[in-house]
Every structure is written in structure tokens, then in C-alpha cells.
Amino acid sequence: MQVNEVMTPHTVTLTPEQTLKDAAEIMQRIETGFVPVGQDERLVGTITDRDIVINGIAQGKSTDAAVGEVMSRDVLYVFDDQEVAEVARNMGERQVRRMPVVDRDKRLVGIVSLGDLSTDGDPSAAGVALEQISN
């Protein structure tokens, strides 16, 4: 089974120029703590609710600070045609619960989470990944 069969198709991104307030509002509206950051149709980072708090608010930044100031630039991603078991292994090794999904042109096409892998993909592989993340 491939990632494109279990991923959540992607519709929302932020730009590095948007504010932390914009990011928080979007996260609240779509009920997530993770949003990819894109520029010129390319994935340039990700921002999490934790990034906003730890790298933003706790560092004295205002809600008007730019997403680019606090986002994670070390972008981990998977390809939409990768096998679910391989992706689960990769997520466990990297200790992440969600990853952006890109096509072979590196355009963002979705998000895959451990929940996607366990519900619609390979529950045993997702379980191993979660065990690695929890350690």
C-alpha cells in the first residue's frame, strides 16, 4: 500500500511572511497543531503549535512575528508513492508523528500521520513507529 492511499490530502499552507497569529488561527480552524509552510509552490518548512509557544512566545516574540522566524526549516517529507511500511519505519526513526507528503516534483500533496497509517494503512508498522517515537 502506498502513502497516497492513506494520507490526508493537503489544502492549507502558510507562508513564511504570515504571522504567528495567522498560524494559530488556522490551526484552531482546521483542528491541527501542524501546518506546512510553502513559498513559490515549494515546501520550505513546517510550523507546529509547539514552535509557536517554544520558539515564539517563550522567546518574547509577539503574535505579529513572522512564521519564518519560528518554523522548522529542516523539512522532513515523504513521497506519495512510497510504501506505507517504509514511511512508518522512517517516522519511527525520525521520531515524528506527521510528515508532509510531496509528489516526485516535490509539490506538497498531503500530510500523513501515524493515525492515517494505523487506521487506513499498516497498523503493525504504525505501532512500531509509535513505540520508537515514545522511547
Side-chain angles (χ1 to χ4, degrees), residues 82-115:
Q82 280 184 272
E83 291 297 318
V84 166
E86 176 186 3
V87 170
R89 231 182 354 267
N90 189 14
M91 291 172 79
E93 289 170 6
R94 300 290 187 153
Q95 295 193 316
V96 296
R97 295 175 185 268
R98 313 172 199 90
M99 292 182 87
V101 180
V102 297
D103 63 18
R104 289 295 170 172
D105 292 326
K106 294 197 177 171
R107 290 202 172 93
L108 184 66
V109 295
I111 303 290
V112 68
S113 70
L114 282 179

Side-chain angles (χ1 to χ4, degrees), residues 65-95:
V67 164
E69 293 180 42
V70 303
M71 72 182 191
S72 299
R73 293 180 187 278
D74 184 20
V75 181
L76 302 174
Y77 59 87
V78 298
F79 289 106
D80 61 348
D81 59 358
Q82 280 184 272
E83 291 297 318
V84 166
E86 176 186 3
V87 170
R89 231 182 354 267
N90 189 14
M91 291 172 79
E93 289 170 6
R94 300 290 187 153
Q95 295 193 316

